[in-house]
Amino acid sequence: MELGYWDLKGFAEPIRWLIRYLKLEVKETNPKTPEDWFANTKVNLGLLFANLPYLIDGDFNLTESCAIPVYLIRKYGNPTEQLLGKDIQEEARVRMIDGVLGDIRLALMKVIFGPKNPAEARVAFEKELLVSSVIPTKANFLSNCLGDKDFLFGHLTYADFMLAYYTEFVSAFIFSLDLESPFYAHPNLVQHMKRVHSLPGVKDRYESSKSIAYAAAFYLPFKLLTAEEVEQRANKTTSTK
């Protein structure tokens, strides 16, 4: 089996966590440059909808970060774990969390790619972090959904992988501009993230990938912190409160 994605965390990292959690043997292919992907790899793989990330499993191929986890769990997951939900209602809510996080992703992308320098980026993020804006509003919804449970629906689902990753991913961008993350305003979201980081397989991937970039530096008007630097920043903030 082969997973294709940039040599970045990006939007494929929760899939990597899932792969390790399921103990799957997967070869990862990382295009070196956009030119390498668009001119060579993309046109030669025979993908139905060529995109990154992609998964090739024998004669079957699949793209889109929302579809790949469903396939992996359905085919290789332990049915008793119910990682997609225990019934049709819970499965729908797992997909609902994916949609909520998609709203956060769109809001994040809007403030990342517009600014031309760190000062402009900081102003854009400050506006997005206002109480009525998408990121803090959705973070509050997610915190309320989690409540005092260990996992969103009382047991581990793929929604927990996504939420934990977005807690660290979005916070990395915000901390990089020396601003406060709305996710870290909710202790239950931070503890949930750490709980997922400690899962079998996920822990090894998280620890070994702390220095891997979340996004390509040439796309950003500011220096993006790594997971290791985010931890240091978060610990420093906690110790001063």
Side-chain angles (χ1 to χ4, degrees):
M1 192 153 42
E2 176 183 342
L3 176 71
Y5 195 69
W6 307 111
D7 189 17
L8 302 164
K9 292 184 176 179
F11 298 118
E13 195 65 12
I15 298 173
R16 295 181 175 114
W17 290 1
L18 177 64
I19 286 170
R20 272 116 180 126
Y21 183 79
L22 295 177
K23 300 179 181 178
L24 302 178
E25 292 293 329
V26 178
K27 167 193 170 186
E28 185 162 337
T29 299
N30 309 120
K32 301 301 181 185
T33 63
E35 292 75 20
D36 176 33
W37 165 245
F38 288 107
N40 299 314
T41 312
K42 183 176 181 179
V43 296
N44 294 323
L45 284 174
L47 300 173
L48 184 60
F49 293 99
N51 201 1
L52 293 169
Y54 69 78
L55 182 79
I56 298 176
D57 186 14
D59 59 0
F60 178 76
N61 66 69
L62 189 65
T63 55
E64 302 302 330
S65 57
C66 61
I68 292 172
V70 175
Y71 173 76
L72 292 174
I73 292 169
R74 290 282 192 218
K75 184 169 183 180
Y76 297 107
N78 181 344
T80 63
E81 285 198 284
Q82 303 171 324
L83 290 175
L84 290 176
K86 65 184 180 183
D87 54 33
I88 190 170
Q89 293 178 335
E90 199 171 89
E91 183 170 345
R93 286 184 169 163
V94 169
R95 306 297 176 90
M96 177 183 70
I97 296 297
D98 190 11
V100 171
L101 295 172
D103 291 341
I104 292 174
R105 180 174 64 207
L106 287 175
L108 183 67
M109 294 300 101
K110 287 179 181 178
V111 293
I112 287 174
F113 294 114
K116 304 300 182 184
N117 56 59
E120 287 186 11
R122 197 174 198 279
V123 170
F125 269 90
E126 284 177 329
K127 290 180 179 179
E128 180 49 50
L129 298 178
L130 294 173
V131 174
S132 60
S133 295
V134 171
I135 294 178
T137 299
K138 300 292 185 178
N140 186 59
F141 289 162
L142 290 162
S143 175
N144 290 339
C145 180
L146 177 62
D148 60 0
K149 303 185 296 295
D150 284 348
F151 301 110
L152 283 164
F153 304 113
H155 65 98
L156 182 67
T157 68
Y158 188 66
D160 294 295
F161 287 74
M162 293 187 290
L163 173 58
Y165 180 64
Y166 270 75
T167 299
E168 68 161 280
F169 178 74
V170 176
S171 297
F173 285 87
I174 296 170
F175 285 156
S176 296
L177 292 166
D178 201 27
L179 297 169
E180 297 301 318
S181 170
F183 284 90
Y184 273 72
H186 301 284
N188 65 336
L189 294 182
V190 176
Q191 291 306 312
H192 173 268
M193 175 186 70
K194 293 179 179 179
R195 194 172 296 118
V196 174
H197 284 168
S198 298
L199 291 171
V202 176
K203 182 177 180 179
D204 291 341
R205 168 62 190 182
Y206 176 72
E207 292 295 335
S208 65
S209 66
K210 284 184 177 180
S211 63
I212 297 176
Y214 287 102
F218 60 81
Y219 284 126
L220 302 173
F222 56 91
K223 181 184 180 296
L224 183 60
L225 298 180
T226 63
E228 189 169 32
E229 291 168 330
V230 167
E231 281 188 358
Q232 293 169 356
R233 203 276 192 189
N235 291 337
K236 182 179 179 181
T237 299
T238 303
S239 65
T240 57
K241 288 184 178 180

